[in-house]
Amino acid sequence: MIIKKAVFPAAGFGTRFLPATKAIPKEMLPLVDKPLIQYALEEAKDSGLQEMIIVTGMGKTAIEDHFDTSFELEILLKERGKDELLKMIQNVSGLVHFAYTRQKKPLGLGHAISITKNLINNEPFAVFLGDDIIDAKVPAMKQMIRVFNECRSSVLAVQKVPKSQAHLYGVIKGKKVAPGIYRVLDLVEKPKENPPSNLAIIGRYILTPEIFNALEKTTPGKGGEIQLTDAIKILLRTQEVYAYEFDGCRYDAGDKLGFLMANVSLALKRPELRNDFRKFLKGLKL
Ligand code: G1P
């Protein structure tokens, strides 16, 4: 059971970033100088995944263009001797395989996953929610694959959050079985009150293919959408599911404040920007 495939749901409307996302997919908003979705994709690639399945929708063709080869641009950069830039854009499209499928109606995250069934073909696979940017020494998904190799069951990324924030997440009830690893006993999507714990699901999942049967049984939940969390709860009836507290710093780049924080902290890590940007920030005298 080697994990080769990664699913990236990217069909959402990005309403939290209007008006910026009226004509540009949210996934293409730049974080420093790379579109949001590229961070998750690079994490997948660095974790050894080779087949990227992107679930798109209306108005998302810029994502396909971004990961395609740009012949004209490559010729131009070659002619101008811009080798570094050339290498950079070739890296974007090279080495991995892409497949695209369209979610025709915004019926929720669970629905987006369910339409990849034929592309997944009965094997365990990874899911990346591109809004969650995880800055980590060892890519978060690589850490999760290690856990999967031990437990051979679905693995959800979790992080401790203040209970006051629990209503923004799927929240698990777990039994600690090893440092940072929990057996999931129950889970609930965006609990209004009394969350079962402070362990919130972050947008990285390894799922066994039985999730597709569970998704078929899942009825609309929070917000009238087919929720992945509800499907995992159904999966729990027949299989063990684990949660893993990964090492790394996570930003919710799907939220304006989180997006700004991610920009600032990732820019401060760039050697070419670090010093001047730091000076600028210090000069703000907040
Ligand atoms: C989704 C999931 C939720 C999870 C969150 C992590 O919610 O439904 O369970 O905690 O991602 O970012 P969304 O933020 O897309 O509403």
Side-chain angles (χ1 to χ4, degrees):
M1 287 213 288
I2 294 173
I3 298 167
K4 299 188 295 275
K5 296 179 182 171
V7 174
F8 301 81
F13 285 122
T15 45
R16 284 195 280 177
F17 275 100
L18 281 169
T21 48
K22 191 171 167 228
I24 296 171
K26 172 182 73 172
E27 294 76 14
M28 292 302 293
L29 294 177
L31 213 47
V32 189
D33 56 3
K34 280 192 277 191
L36 259 186
I37 191 166
Q38 195 176 329
Y39 286 85
L41 214 116
E42 287 180 358
E43 183 189 321
K45 198 160 141 180
D46 294 342
S47 304
L49 305 177
Q50 298 139 14
E51 293 184 41
M52 312 297 171
I53 299 167
I54 305 186
V55 182
T56 67
M58 192 66 88
K60 300 279 185 168
T61 46
I63 300 177
E64 292 181 44
D65 290 341
H66 181 70
F67 292 118
D68 198 0
T69 314
S70 175
F71 187 68
E72 293 86 347
L73 182 59
E74 288 190 20
I75 297 275
L76 185 99
L77 294 174
K78 215 176 272 172
E79 279 172 3
R80 297 194 177 163
K82 306 221 180 236
D83 296 341
E84 277 302 301
L85 282 178
L86 181 63
K87 218 163 84 194
M88 192 191 289
I89 66 149
Q90 284 175 335
N91 267 343
V92 174
S93 55
L95 297 176
V96 288
H97 180 259
F98 289 89
Y100 296 91
T101 184
R102 277 171 85 116
Q103 186 181 17
K104 293 185 187 125
K105 286 184 186 162
L107 299 180
L109 175 60
H111 177 254
I113 303 300
S114 74
I115 64 169
T116 66
K117 182 178 176 183
N118 292 339
L119 293 168
I120 294 295
N121 202 13
N122 210 27
E123 53 190 272
F125 62 101
V127 176
F128 292 75
L129 307 188
D131 281 357
D132 286 321
I133 300 290
I134 303 178
D135 185 21
K137 272 203 193 116
V138 176
M141 184 53 73
K142 195 171 184 172
Q143 300 175 38
M144 292 175 67
I145 290 174
R146 284 181 194 155
V147 177
F148 172 80
N149 287 338
E150 291 291 318
C151 67
R152 317 305 276 176
S153 304
S154 297
V155 182
L156 322 177
V158 291
Q159 197 175 44
K160 290 195 176 108
V161 298
K163 280 209 171 173
S164 61
Q165 300 280 301
H167 67 281
L168 300 170
Y169 298 91
V171 181
I172 69 147
K173 179 179 172 194
K175 180 178 185 304
K176 199 168 192 167
V177 291
I181 303 179
Y182 303 81
R183 194 158 70 76
V184 177
L185 304 174
D186 195 10
L187 63 172
V188 40
E189 179 67 6
K190 306 202 173 87
K192 262 201 191 127
E193 51 202 10
N194 301 325
S197 78
N198 60 353
L199 289 168
I201 301 172
I202 303 302
R204 300 289 183 276
Y205 307 76
I206 293 175
L207 298 169
T208 54
E210 288 75 20
I211 192 69
F212 293 111
N213 289 335
L215 280 163
E216 272 166 27
K217 294 183 193 138
T218 308
T219 50
K222 267 267 138 70
E225 297 186 340
I226 305 289
Q227 296 292 348
L228 182 58
T229 304
D230 295 342
I232 297 171
K233 195 176 159 105
I234 293 176
L235 186 68
L236 256 189
R237 293 183 201 151
T238 53
Q239 288 189 351
E240 290 185 344
V241 173
Y242 289 84
Y244 172 63
E245 248 183 295
F246 58 91
D247 278 328
C249 188
R250 173 254 181 182
Y251 301 95
D252 178 8
D255 166 78
K256 277 178 208 166
L257 184 60
F259 181 77
L260 291 170
M261 288 171 174
N263 258 303
V264 171
S265 68
L266 294 176
L268 285 171
K269 290 195 162 184
R270 289 293 192 82
E272 76 279 19
L273 297 172
R274 192 163 45 208
N275 292 342
D276 289 343
F277 192 39
R278 220 182 135 87
K279 252 187 239 157
F280 165 75
L281 290 175
K282 278 191 163 171
L284 291 177
K285 296 196 177 68
L286 301 170

